[in-house]
Amino acid sequence: NLNLKVILTEIKKEMNKVLIVLCVVLCLVSVIGATGLARGWGDEVNWVSYEDGLRQARENGKPILIVLHKTWCGACKSLKPKIAASTEFAEVSKQFNVVNAEDDEAPHSDARFQVDGGYIPRIYFVSPQGEVLSQYVNEGGHPQYKYFHSDPTSIIKAANKVLAEQN
């Protein structure tokens, strides 16, 4: 009887250890999951996948703003903290379904998003019906790289133009 009590006490101690580890793991998963598709591009923005962006656009009637980037890209790494720190970008993003398309995620390989090449980063706007709005470019940028933006200001300018002309 005494041996059984000792064994049960030890099992209880081990189960408590397992529960503590499980709680820590669940907390970490929830923290990682909370950042979701932001990936350092700004937790104040409701980032979604391309597929979800298209679906949401059909449902809510908002246009889509797509950021096409790669994890290894120097220009992308430069733009990322600027967007993340921009309260103006976070505010204007509320009027869009905002897609964070990293590396080979959709719509990187879609030719409609390579109007003037496959350079990165590229910013595109899409209508709620899924039509690429190729007329909205970085007006102050290089004419050969119309969808390249090096700071949030030019993106916000193009976004505001989309909102003014598409509504």
Side-chain angles (χ1 to χ4, degrees), residues 126-137:
V126 177
S127 75
Q129 297 76 33
E131 175 191 348
V132 177
L133 303 171
S134 59
Q135 68 270 34
Y136 299 104
V137 299

Side-chain angles (χ1 to χ4, degrees), residues 6-162:
V6 170
I7 292 171
L8 289 175
T9 303
E10 290 301 314
I11 290 173
K12 192 174 181 181
K13 286 179 187 176
E14 291 302 314
M15 287 182 69
N16 284 338
K17 289 177 186 176
V18 169
L19 284 174
I20 290 170
V21 169
L22 184 59
C23 287
V24 168
V25 168
L26 288 174
C27 288
L28 287 172
V29 167
S30 69
V31 167
I32 292 167
T35 56
L37 290 175
R39 301 171 177 150
W41 288 81
D43 292 335
E44 300 302 316
V45 176
N46 183 28
W47 299 98
V48 297
S49 68
Y50 179 58
E51 294 79 12
D52 286 344
L54 289 171
R55 180 186 50 74
Q56 288 177 3
R58 285 189 303 271
E59 292 171 3
N60 63 26
K62 293 179 183 178
I64 303 168
L65 185 161
I66 301 175
V67 178
L68 295 160
H69 64 95
K70 304 271 186 174
T71 52
W72 51 261
C73 163
C76 304
K77 290 178 183 179
S78 174
L79 180 60
K80 181 192 291 191
K82 295 174 187 174
I83 286 180
S86 174
T87 55
E88 295 87 359
F89 182 86
E91 192 58 35
V92 79
S93 77
K94 294 174 184 175
Q95 304 302 313
F96 291 87
N97 298 290
V98 190
V99 172
N100 184 334
E102 183 175 85
D103 294 326
D104 295 325
E105 294 174 345
H108 272 278
S109 61
D110 188 329
R112 297 177 307 146
F113 298 99
Q114 298 176 10
V115 173
D116 59 352
Y119 56 86
I120 46 175
R122 296 187 311 282
I123 311 296
Y124 279 92
F125 296 93
V126 177
S127 75
Q129 297 76 33
E131 175 191 348
V132 177
L133 303 171
S134 59
Q135 68 270 34
Y136 299 104
V137 299
N138 180 356
E139 293 178 351
H142 194 287
Q144 286 184 296
Y145 308 106
K146 297 175 189 168
Y147 305 96
F148 176 84
H149 296 259
S150 59
D151 63 68
T153 306
S154 61
I155 301 169
I156 294 164
K157 183 178 177 184
N160 284 328
K161 193 171 180 182
V162 169

